[in-house]
Amino acid sequence: MPILTVNKLTKSFGGLMAVSNVSMELKKGELVGLIGPNGAGKTTVFNLLTGIYQPTSGTVTLHRDKKEEQLQGLKPYTICKKGIARTFQNIRLFKDLTVLDNVRIAMNKNVKYGLFSTFFHTRSYSDEEKEMLDKCMQLLKILKLDHKKDELAKNLPYGEQRHLEILRALATNPCILLLDEPAAGMNPAETAQLTEMIGWIRENFDLTILLIEHDMSLVMKICERIYVLDYGMVIAEGTPSEIKSNKRVIEAYLGEEMGNA
């Protein structure tokens, strides 16, 4: 049973067709890769799925709690509330806020108290703030950032900034997590740690994950299925072994060396 269905998604910018008739399906609990050359339209697809761009045509359907909801046309914050969270290719933390506050901000979408409770610090406000703080600390402990909760985000090493961005996305309590090149700029040791962490997160948070990544060793190791984009179109879909042996994919992206690996 799919949790997300993308049907003939298209986005044009004037005369430029960035994404053309892209159809995809994510099943609940899957870890799926989205790969392709630079400029193939991968991040544009993410922007369409999360409401940053609105499609020229096509549909995005979320299947959750025995309901179908159309996501195209909705604002990014609405799509986030419905359970789709993402990270960005270029890290977008609140760099002058603390590690803890970066996570708390993401969790604020779930608060139930109103302006009155906030202004007068009522019991419901205090109880909910304490519960939120406890959840934030639990998340920080998972990725071993709890001891840095009071540091400014901009002072973290690059790899930990990447982890914090993933953590902030998890704090929104998503059912689908979109990761846009999470290993970009990481050294081999950091990439190995990230690979293990993504698999652990998928299992322990009961998530469906769609991953954009250029590190093919990471993609081939953890993804169960892979979609390949080229010039805004899906040119292949299949298991890692099928993608590695696909002649069109080898010519467009992987190259002979990776295809023979």
Side-chain angles (χ1 to χ4, degrees), residues 248-261:
R248 189 174 179 188
V249 176
I250 293 171
E251 291 172 359
Y253 183 53
L254 295 182
E256 291 294 338
E257 184 176 343
M258 185 65 198
N260 294 327

PDB file of all heavy atoms in Angstrom, residues 248-261:
ATOM      1  N   ARG A 248      20.973   2.621 -19.939  1.00  0.00           N
ATOM      2  CA  ARG A 248      20.614   4.033 -20.079  1.00  0.00           C
ATOM      3  C   ARG A 248      21.107   4.839 -18.882  1.00  0.00           C
ATOM      4  O   ARG A 248      21.578   5.962 -19.027  1.00  0.00           O
ATOM      5  CB  ARG A 248      19.106   4.173 -20.242  1.00  0.00           C
ATOM      6  CG  ARG A 248      18.678   5.586 -20.616  1.00  0.00           C
ATOM      7  CD  ARG A 248      17.203   5.673 -20.903  1.00  0.00           C
ATOM      8  NE  ARG A 248      16.814   7.035 -21.224  1.00  0.00           N
ATOM      9  CZ  ARG A 248      15.556   7.441 -21.371  1.00  0.00           C
ATOM     10  NH1 ARG A 248      14.568   6.571 -21.236  1.00  0.00           N
ATOM     11  NH2 ARG A 248      15.281   8.702 -21.667  1.00  0.00           N
ATOM     12  N   VAL A 249      21.018   4.243 -17.686  1.00  0.00           N
ATOM     13  CA  VAL A 249      21.480   4.926 -16.478  1.00  0.00           C
ATOM     14  C   VAL A 249      23.001   5.056 -16.493  1.00  0.00           C
ATOM     15  O   VAL A 249      23.552   6.104 -16.121  1.00  0.00           O
ATOM     16  CB  VAL A 249      21.014   4.177 -15.216  1.00  0.00           C
ATOM     17  CG1 VAL A 249      21.577   4.837 -13.960  1.00  0.00           C
ATOM     18  CG2 VAL A 249      19.493   4.134 -15.154  1.00  0.00           C
ATOM     19  N   ILE A 250      23.683   4.018 -16.934  1.00  0.00           N
ATOM     20  CA  ILE A 250      25.150   4.061 -17.016  1.00  0.00           C
ATOM     21  C   ILE A 250      25.597   5.171 -17.955  1.00  0.00           C
ATOM     22  O   ILE A 250      26.507   5.945 -17.646  1.00  0.00           O
ATOM     23  CB  ILE A 250      25.701   2.693 -17.482  1.00  0.00           C
ATOM     24  CG1 ILE A 250      25.455   1.630 -16.407  1.00  0.00           C
ATOM     25  CG2 ILE A 250      27.190   2.800 -17.802  1.00  0.00           C
ATOM     26  CD1 ILE A 250      25.757   0.222 -16.855  1.00  0.00           C
ATOM     27  N   GLU A 251      24.932   5.289 -19.093  1.00  0.00           N
ATOM     28  CA  GLU A 251      25.292   6.313 -20.069  1.00  0.00           C
ATOM     29  C   GLU A 251      24.988   7.719 -19.538  1.00  0.00           C
ATOM     30  O   GLU A 251      25.766   8.656 -19.738  1.00  0.00           O
ATOM     31  CB  GLU A 251      24.534   6.090 -21.376  1.00  0.00           C
ATOM     32  CG  GLU A 251      24.969   4.845 -22.133  1.00  0.00           C
ATOM     33  CD  GLU A 251      24.078   4.553 -23.326  1.00  0.00           C
ATOM     34  OE1 GLU A 251      23.110   5.322 -23.546  1.00  0.00           O
ATOM     35  OE2 GLU A 251      24.333   3.569 -24.044  1.00  0.00           O
ATOM     36  N   ALA A 252      23.854   7.863 -18.851  1.00  0.00           N
ATOM     37  CA  ALA A 252      23.422   9.191 -18.415  1.00  0.00           C
ATOM     38  C   ALA A 252      24.104   9.645 -17.133  1.00  0.00           C
ATOM     39  O   ALA A 252      24.309  10.847 -16.931  1.00  0.00           O
ATOM     40  CB  ALA A 252      21.905   9.189 -18.200  1.00  0.00           C
ATOM     41  N   TYR A 253      24.500   8.686 -16.276  1.00  0.00           N
ATOM     42  CA  TYR A 253      24.915   9.112 -14.932  1.00  0.00           C
ATOM     43  C   TYR A 253      26.016   8.289 -14.306  1.00  0.00           C
ATOM     44  O   TYR A 253      27.049   8.821 -13.904  1.00  0.00           O
ATOM     45  CB  TYR A 253      23.687   9.127 -14.025  1.00  0.00           C
ATOM     46  CG  TYR A 253      23.967   9.612 -12.624  1.00  0.00           C
ATOM     47  CD1 TYR A 253      24.606  10.825 -12.399  1.00  0.00           C
ATOM     48  CD2 TYR A 253      23.580   8.870 -11.511  1.00  0.00           C
ATOM     49  CE1 TYR A 253      24.876  11.285 -11.115  1.00  0.00           C
ATOM     50  CE2 TYR A 253      23.830   9.321 -10.223  1.00  0.00           C
ATOM     51  CZ  TYR A 253      24.488  10.531 -10.021  1.00  0.00           C
ATOM     52  OH  TYR A 253      24.739  10.970  -8.762  1.00  0.00           O
ATOM     53  N   LEU A 254      25.823   6.986 -14.193  1.00  0.00           N
ATOM     54  CA  LEU A 254      26.737   6.182 -13.377  1.00  0.00           C
ATOM     55  C   LEU A 254      28.110   6.022 -14.004  1.00  0.00           C
ATOM     56  O   LEU A 254      29.126   5.986 -13.317  1.00  0.00           O
ATOM     57  CB  LEU A 254      26.135   4.795 -13.106  1.00  0.00           C
ATOM     58  CG  LEU A 254      24.866   4.762 -12.252  1.00  0.00           C
ATOM     59  CD1 LEU A 254      24.427   3.316 -12.046  1.00  0.00           C
ATOM     60  CD2 LEU A 254      25.076   5.454 -10.920  1.00  0.00           C
ATOM     61  N   GLY A 255      28.164   5.878 -15.328  1.00  0.00           N
ATOM     62  CA  GLY A 255      29.427   5.605 -15.983  1.00  0.00           C
ATOM     63  C   GLY A 255      29.756   4.117 -15.943  1.00  0.00           C
ATOM     64  O   GLY A 255      29.218   3.368 -15.133  1.00  0.00           O
ATOM     65  N   GLU A 256      30.636   3.680 -16.807  1.00  0.00           N
ATOM     66  CA  GLU A 256      30.955   2.260 -16.916  1.00  0.00           C
ATOM     67  C   GLU A 256      31.553   1.689 -15.639  1.00  0.00           C
ATOM     68  O   GLU A 256      31.277   0.577 -15.239  1.00  0.00           O
ATOM     69  CB  GLU A 256      31.931   2.029 -18.077  1.00  0.00           C
ATOM     70  CG  GLU A 256      31.339   2.268 -19.456  1.00  0.00           C
ATOM     71  CD  GLU A 256      30.258   1.255 -19.804  1.00  0.00           C
ATOM     72  OE1 GLU A 256      30.240   0.161 -19.212  1.00  0.00           O
ATOM     73  OE2 GLU A 256      29.429   1.563 -20.682  1.00  0.00           O
ATOM     74  N   GLU A 257      32.365   2.479 -14.948  1.00  0.00           N
ATOM     75  CA  GLU A 257      33.057   1.975 -13.749  1.00  0.00           C
ATOM     76  C   GLU A 257      32.060   1.616 -12.668  1.00  0.00           C
ATOM     77  O   GLU A 257      32.136   0.549 -12.071  1.00  0.00           O
ATOM     78  CB  GLU A 257      34.030   3.036 -13.243  1.00  0.00           C
ATOM     79  CG  GLU A 257      34.863   2.553 -12.056  1.00  0.00           C
ATOM     80  CD  GLU A 257      35.882   3.589 -11.626  1.00  0.00           C
ATOM     81  OE1 GLU A 257      36.171   4.516 -12.406  1.00  0.00           O
ATOM     82  OE2 GLU A 257      36.404   3.451 -10.505  1.00  0.00           O
ATOM     83  N   MET A 258      31.092   2.515 -12.414  1.00  0.00           N
ATOM     84  CA  MET A 258      30.090   2.230 -11.372  1.00  0.00           C
ATOM     85  C   MET A 258      29.179   1.114 -11.838  1.00  0.00           C
ATOM     86  O   MET A 258      28.759   0.268 -11.052  1.00  0.00           O
ATOM     87  CB  MET A 258      29.287   3.497 -11.066  1.00  0.00           C
ATOM     88  CG  MET A 258      28.300   3.320  -9.907  1.00  0.00           C
ATOM     89  SD  MET A 258      29.125   3.028  -8.348  1.00  0.00           S
ATOM     90  CE  MET A 258      27.790   2.331  -7.382  1.00  0.00           C
ATOM     91  N   GLY A 259      28.825   1.103 -13.101  1.00  0.00           N
ATOM     92  CA  GLY A 259      27.932   0.077 -13.618  1.00  0.00           C
ATOM     93  C   GLY A 259      28.525  -1.316 -13.497  1.00  0.00           C
ATOM     94  O   GLY A 259      27.806  -2.305 -13.337  1.00  0.00           O
ATOM     95  N   ASN A 260      29.849  -1.415 -13.536  1.00  0.00           N
ATOM     96  CA  ASN A 260      30.521  -2.717 -13.424  1.00  0.00           C
ATOM     97  C   ASN A 260      30.918  -3.052 -12.002  1.00  0.00           C
ATOM     98  O   ASN A 260      31.498  -4.094 -11.752  1.00  0.00           O
ATOM     99  CB  ASN A 260      31.769  -2.730 -14.308  1.00  0.00           C
ATOM    100  CG  ASN A 260      31.425  -2.652 -15.796  1.00  0.00           C
ATOM    101  OD1 ASN A 260      30.391  -3.176 -16.208  1.00  0.00           O
ATOM    102  ND2 ASN A 260      32.271  -1.981 -16.586  1.00  0.00           N
ATOM    103  N   ALA A 261      30.641  -2.139 -11.059  1.00  0.00           N
ATOM    104  CA  ALA A 261      31.051  -2.361  -9.666  1.00  0.00           C
ATOM    105  C   ALA A 261      30.239  -3.473  -9.027  1.00  0.00           C
ATOM    106  O   ALA A 261      29.109  -3.709  -9.384  1.00  0.00           O
ATOM    107  CB  ALA A 261      30.890  -1.075  -8.876  1.00  0.00           C
TER     108      ALA A 261
END
